Amino acid sequence: MIRRVAILGGGPAGSFAAAQLASAGLAVQLFDEKLAWEKPCGGGLTFKAYHQYPFLLHNATPKRLVTETTLGASGGGQARLKLHDPLVIYSRLDLNRMLLDRAERAGAQLEKTRVLEMSRAGSGWRLRTSAGTAEADYCVLATGARNSLRDFGTQLHPRDTMAALGYYVDGDRENIDIQFLDGLEGYIWVFPRCGHLSVGICGKGVPAFELRKRLDLYMNERGISTAGARFYSHLLPCLDKGSWRHNRVAGDGWMAVGDAAGLVDPITGEGIYYAIRSGDLAAQALLAESSAAEPAAQYRRLLRRDFTADLEFGARLAKRVFQGRFLCAPLPRRMVEFTRHSPRFAAVMEDLFAGRQPYTGLKRRLLSNLNGSLYEIGMNLGFSRVVPWRFSQPRL
Ligand SMILES: Cc1cc2nc3c(=O)[nH]c(=O)nc-3n(C[C@H](O)[C@H](O)[C@H](O)COP(=O)(O)OP(=O)(O)OC[C@H]3O[C@@H](n4cnc5c(N)ncnc54)[C@H](O)[C@@H]3O)c2cc1C
């Protein structure tokens, strides 16, 4: 019988799971070495997140609602994209504090301490922390991408991560900027927050110092000064296509949620929604089962049905989205040009931004709704497998 649950980590994944479990009556202890903090992040929440969890929009916590995005690509100019459902941007200090307060109000006990070790004690667990020891019947691992408890959670190999870094800069603007760079499996972002901008870059297979040079150059060209700006960097899980199938998200007596389970969109880097959603699914799996051995299997099933199949499909597309070519030019450049010139293509981009367009349905939508040019773009993304050969164009 599971009565006491230990949650290791108090970011969005851990604090949401804690709130769900505590409000269902379990005794929940949440351990985080920092509790609320400014975790390196853009802080952007998509429509998908606040549509599913309306409290993320309707609350008194400071946030920016942004309805306009500028997309750019080297050599492709810029395109303005109207977001009918805004991107909601928080400072992570504020977001984390709101989520932790919610967990505490639901009855979770918050402990500001680092968990050093997690070991079996009978059918339960003993935790060694910087402050002492604690016991639990079940553990939810929510320690983020830099999980130091290496026997539990996703085993992140270099091919499963990307570096992400940036600056918090004084300033304000009304729109988001997204900039694709030639050859980079990643992008630059400028997110307006309350009182400052989060400007950053993520990229797979590129060393952090190289990314920083590219970001500094971009900021210099755009007149965004780094003087007095606070630098940040972190790891972003970005599971390779082959890694999803064997992803270690749960075991006997434990489950991993959020970044600790590698649950991040491999194309956009969106992770906050998946952290919260996986925290929710982990809680559902725990509450549905009575013995400590079965929730792991139930959790894996729920994840697969809910979103990991789609993220796995996204991982298969990622390289081609950023580094594919179409009509003699990099695909990101063409995406920007098509967004600028084709309202129908812009609508697809808007839905991708909002999280309304799953990757698994993207090819069907491109093929059935868009004109001949977009049909060709779809084929360049690898859809030639599903269309008759005689309609295929030679790859350029
Ligand atoms: C630069 C950057 C920009 C990003 N921008 C966005 C964005 O705009 N939108 C978006 O959706 N996602 C974004 N992400 C991804 C997002 O930040 C993560 O997916 C999200 O924070 C994951 O939440 P989590 O709760 O799983 O982990 P985290 O938020 O990392 O929380 C983990 C917590 O565990 C604690 N912890 C770790 N180890 C221990 C331990 N041993 N003992 C006690 N406590 C511990 C930490 O202190 C931390 O509070 C970005 C990521 C990066 C790196």
Side-chain angles (χ1 to χ4, degrees), residues 250-302:
D252 186 21
W254 65 271
M255 296 179 212
V257 291
D259 280 15
L263 302 175
V264 173
D265 184 315
I267 296 181
T268 64
E270 177 182 11
I272 301 172
Y273 167 73
Y274 297 107
I276 291 174
R277 186 73 189 139
S278 58
D280 192 359
L281 298 178
Q284 286 178 31
L286 258 177
L287 294 170
E289 300 290 341
S290 52
S291 94
E294 290 149 13
Q298 172 69 354
Y299 177 52
R300 278 194 210 94
R301 271 195 296 276
L302 289 176

Side-chain angles (χ1 to χ4, degrees), residues 1 35 43 52 56 98 102 146 149 183 231 245 252 261 298 304 334 339 351 364:
M1 185 75 178
L35 289 179
Q52 182 123 34
L56 292 169
M98 173 181 76
R102 217 174 145 267
R146 288 192 178 137
L149 303 164
F231 179 73
R245 286 278 156 180
D252 186 21
Q298 172 69 354
R304 188 94 200 135
R334 294 295 182 223
T339 303
D351 284 348
R364 201 176 332 120

Side-chain angles (χ1 to χ4, degrees), residues 10-12 15 36-38 41 43-45 55-56 59 61-62 90-101 272 276:
S15 50
W37 65 296
E38 191 57 67
C41 191
L45 280 172
F55 79 92
L56 292 169
N59 59 63
T61 303
Y90 284 94
S91 126
R92 282 298 300 268
L93 177 65
D94 292 338
L95 178 66
N96 283 21
R97 188 181 289 131
M98 173 181 76
L99 291 167
L100 284 164
D101 286 350
I272 301 172
I276 291 174

